[in-house]
Amino acid sequence: SQQGEEDPQALSIQEGENATMNCSYKTSINNLQWYRQNSGRGLVHLILIRSNEREKHSGRLRVTLDTSKKSSSLLITASRAADTASYFCATATLGGNTGKLIFGQGTTLQVKP
Amino acid sequence: EAGVAQSPRYKIIEKRQSVAFWCNPISGHATLYWYQQILGQGPKLLIQFQNNGVVDDSQLPKDRFSAERLKGVDSTLKIQPAKLEDSAVYLCASRPLDRTNSPLHFGNGTRLTVT
């Protein structure tokens, strides 16, 4: 079963603009991770945020986590054409098999040059 | 370090035929995952190994899918017999031990088309 739901399903912006993607999940988590997938390739890890963290930065990426609302957002600033890809959130559930990552349906981002 | 290797890259078979996929994880990674990704969807976990033991196979259709990880290194995923709805990309991923706060490393996947 899918844990996360992402919003929007698709996003199209101009180069230089910011892109924001949202992820909601259902159960308590240990951590939440964001991955990028270029067409025809595997997923690449972008950033991990633990359940006791509220915000994390990595280069042009900013991730927030609100455990009370069971939601996270990924912000890509000053987007580039090379950021065109699908983005997935994935959650590691608290307790039980914490090595299990459950992925959302993803957001497809198109950055126009 | 070398990444996760998968083969073949593409496979086309007819329904009711069998097919096998191979994965070689990153050296030293004890945990290995097989995910199924249907077009337009997120990856769905099929099976998770730690060394050569199964940790989770709750979503593996065991009447037709099987997987093994002999010697705790390489892994194979088999489908027999294939159905049309098995058309998808099969992704292998690995990570060191079963560390919760560490990312997964993915291979480029095998794209299966069942006709």
Side-chain angles (χ1 to χ4, degrees):
Chain A
S1 62
Q2 301 296 128
Q3 158 84 305
E5 293 192 4
E6 293 173 69
D7 169 61
Q9 286 190 327
L11 182 60
S12 182
I13 59 175
Q14 295 293 135
E15 207 165 28
E17 293 180 338
N18 295 341
T20 300
M21 291 160 255
N22 303 297
C23 168
S24 60
Y25 55 92
K26 299 173 185 174
T27 61
S28 296
I29 61 171
N30 186 291
N31 67 67
L32 186 145
Q33 303 180 30
W34 286 90
Y35 288 79
R36 183 188 74 226
Q37 185 178 37
N38 290 89
S39 181
R41 306 298 296 270
L43 283 76
V44 174
H45 179 260
L46 295 175
I47 196 165
L48 180 152
I49 187 165
R50 293 179 170 82
S51 59
N52 61 353
E53 297 176 314
R54 291 296 166 259
E55 187 171 313
K56 205 161 182 180
H57 297 256
S58 177
R60 294 183 295 113
L61 306 180
R62 173 177 167 253
V63 169
T64 61
L65 179 65
D66 187 335
T67 53
S68 66
K69 295 181 179 178
K70 292 187 167 58
S71 67
S72 174
S73 67
L74 170 67
L75 168 67
I76 304 174
T77 60
S79 64
R80 305 167 181 168
D83 295 328
T84 294
S86 292
Y87 292 81
F88 296 90
C89 66
T91 52
T93 305
L94 187 65
N97 178 10
T98 56
K100 181 176 181 177
L101 270 190
I102 302 176
F103 286 81
Q105 299 283 31
T107 293
T108 299
L109 172 65
Q110 182 186 30
V111 182
K112 300 175 185 176
Chain B
E1 73 185 352
V4 176
Q6 290 190 246
S7 67
R9 253 331 240 127
Y10 306 94
K11 190 73 177 179
I12 301 174
I13 62 172
E14 295 181 352
K15 59 184 180 184
R16 291 186 290 273
Q17 286 187 323
S18 63
V19 65
F21 313 126
W22 173 82
C23 173
N24 181 235
I26 292 173
S27 178
H29 281 195
T31 307
L32 184 148
Y33 306 79
W34 283 103
Y35 282 87
Q36 179 193 58
Q37 186 177 24
I38 292 171
L39 186 64
Q41 298 183 18
K44 182 183 88 169
L45 179 66
L46 292 176
I47 189 166
Q48 174 187 347
F49 292 95
Q50 183 157 319
N51 296 311
N52 59 353
V54 175
V55 177
D56 189 316
D57 64 356
S58 57
Q59 295 194 85
L60 186 74
K62 298 180 186 65
D63 58 333
R64 298 184 301 106
F65 286 64
S66 64
E68 60 182 11
R69 192 182 183 198
L70 299 176
K71 301 180 182 178
V73 182
D74 293 7
S75 178
T76 56
L77 176 70
K78 297 179 182 177
I79 308 175
Q80 182 179 7
K83 293 185 176 181
L84 295 176
E85 60 259 35
D86 298 332
S87 293
V89 176
Y90 290 84
L91 295 163
C92 179
S94 69
R95 73 158 91 175
L97 294 177
D98 187 19
R99 292 167 50 193
T100 300
N101 293 317
S102 65
L104 269 59
H105 299 259
F106 281 85
N108 284 325
T110 295
R111 181 178 296 277
L112 174 68
T113 302
V114 182
T115 63

